[in-house]
Amino acid sequence: MSAVDTLRWHGGPAPLLELIDQRVLPRRIRYRRYDARAGAAGVARAIAAMVVRGAPAIGVTAACGMALEAARWRDLPRERLQDRLARGAAVLAASRPTAVNLSWALARCMRVATTHRGDAGALAAALAALAARLIREDVAVNRAIGRHGATLIGDGARVLTHCNAGALATAGYGTALGVVRAARRRIARVWVDETRPFLQGARLTAWELLREGIPCTLITDSMAAHFMQQGQVDAVIVGCDRVAANGDVANKIGTYALALVARAHRVPFYVAGPLSTIDPATATGAAIPIEERTAAEVTGHAGVHWAPDGVAVAHPAFDVTPARLVSALITERGIVHRPNRARIAALLRG
Ligand code: MRU
């Protein structure tokens, strides 16, 4: 079975965005629709509520949100539309703070918005076309990441992944799962971390892999160390939400623990992500904003509550893995072994 559509973008005079609702997968396949009336604010609410999630996916979704905002106000004079777009970009940027792909995509939209010299209708059309281009580019970038990353995967490899860095976390194909897809003939098994508390591994990664017939085994996060100790993991491969200039990596909570265990057992720890996830303006991981999400995602799930009422809850949605624990960073431009500030800078220079 082919990979799933994370989002469908219909440009044109009445643009429409459809998002697969990742909160109800895999029990239900339901697409939610966002038109010009939803605008940037409606799309920002969808991102904050995790209808769509995953760093590259929220970036391209935000670009669609900007195009919807432009379509909504296309009858205004261009200068007033540009003001609306600046406000829309601010609302979208605030929807989730950690993944830098969001502000990267919004910056690309605002470059078009502020330099456009046509009327508002032409600017709206330009933003709709940009959203379509970012979607196409993301899939091409992920395929390149997959090709590069596959060279690191040996015959019969058993790889462990955390969260979901697959087609659902991108416009298609995936980053960490893009490497799995590209190397699937050599991969004997994918260990899928459940990924508490939002269960992206159990609900999304396991679903993607099963649909494509890639052998996988679901484990709880706390089992990963055991299987590494047993010599049953040949590589860990994860995605990323923001890579600082020195190579520190923010990714789904639990990634840091995995990296430590991988180092203790001499298992290579690979991070896959597009160049748009590298943030040269953030010097080190300590400066990466870590999103704190609602307690309700920890005290229960999907309407079932197991924790006692009134218990104090902490819920950082991401953690930071120091660069020294990263064996290699896999990007569309190639692989950076043992990433550090100088190697990241060289990668960005091309
Ligand atoms: O909270 P989420 O589900 O948006 O977190 C997603 C992750 O941490 C992914 O690993 C990351 O965004 C990379 S997706 C290609």
Side-chain angles (χ1 to χ4, degrees), residues 3-4 6 22 53-57 138 142 161-181 200 204-205 208-209 212 238-239:
V4 67
T6 307
Q22 301 198 26
R53 33 62 52 199
D138 187 54
N142 295 336
T161 192
H162 188 66
C163 194
N164 172 266
L168 288 165
T170 62
Y173 201 71
T175 57
L177 290 194
V179 174
V180 168
R181 288 193 163 97
Q200 290 94 330
L204 309 177
T205 297
E208 276 194 40
L209 294 174
E212 292 185 39
V238 297

Side-chain angles (χ1 to χ4, degrees), residues 50 53-56 96 163 165 169-170 175 200 240-241 251-252 318:
M50 308 272 273
R53 33 62 52 199
R96 293 199 75 192
C163 194
T170 62
T175 57
Q200 290 94 330
C240 45
D241 288 84
N251 191 49
K252 179 52 52 194
F318 300 94

Side-chain angles (χ1 to χ4, degrees), residues 78 116-123:
R78 189 188 68 220
H116 204 275
R117 291 291 158 255
D119 63 14
L123 172 50

Side-chain angles (χ1 to χ4, degrees), residues 50 53 96 160-166 177 191-206 217-224 237-239 241 251-256 258 297-298 300-301 306 315-319:
M50 308 272 273
R53 33 62 52 199
R96 293 199 75 192
L160 186 147
T161 192
H162 188 66
C163 194
N164 172 266
L177 290 194
W191 296 106
V192 178
D193 256 8
E194 172 190 46
T195 317
R196 280 278 294 143
F198 205 68
L199 308 178
Q200 290 94 330
R203 296 188 301 105
L204 309 177
T205 297
T217 301
L218 176 64
I219 59 175
T220 67
D221 303 350
S222 52
M223 296 174 189
I237 176 157
V238 297
D241 288 84
N251 191 49
K252 179 52 52 194
I253 191 76
T255 302
Y256 174 41
L258 267 185
E297 289 174 1
V298 174
H301 184 76
W306 47 74
H315 185 188
F318 300 94
D319 59 26

Side-chain angles (χ1 to χ4, degrees), residues 33-45 65 68-69 72:
R33 297 155 71 89
Y34 302 85
D35 61 13
R37 277 168 309 174
V43 172
R45 280 193 295 276
L68 293 175
E69 186 73 8
R72 181 175 183 188

Side-chain angles (χ1 to χ4, degrees), residues 211-282:
R211 278 169 62 91
E212 292 185 39
I214 298 175
C216 62
T217 301
L218 176 64
I219 59 175
T220 67
D221 303 350
S222 52
M223 296 174 189
H226 167 76
F227 286 111
M228 284 196 234
Q229 188 182 47
Q230 298 286 309
Q232 295 195 53
V233 180
D234 300 302
V236 176
I237 176 157
V238 297
C240 45
D241 288 84
R242 190 185 301 227
V243 178
N246 70 340
D248 291 349
V249 172
N251 191 49
K252 179 52 52 194
I253 191 76
T255 302
Y256 174 41
L258 267 185
L260 286 168
V261 177
R263 175 57 55 94
H265 293 287
R266 295 191 166 81
V267 171
F269 181 85
Y270 300 130
V271 175
L275 295 176
S276 56
T277 305
I278 301 176
D279 180 10
T282 298

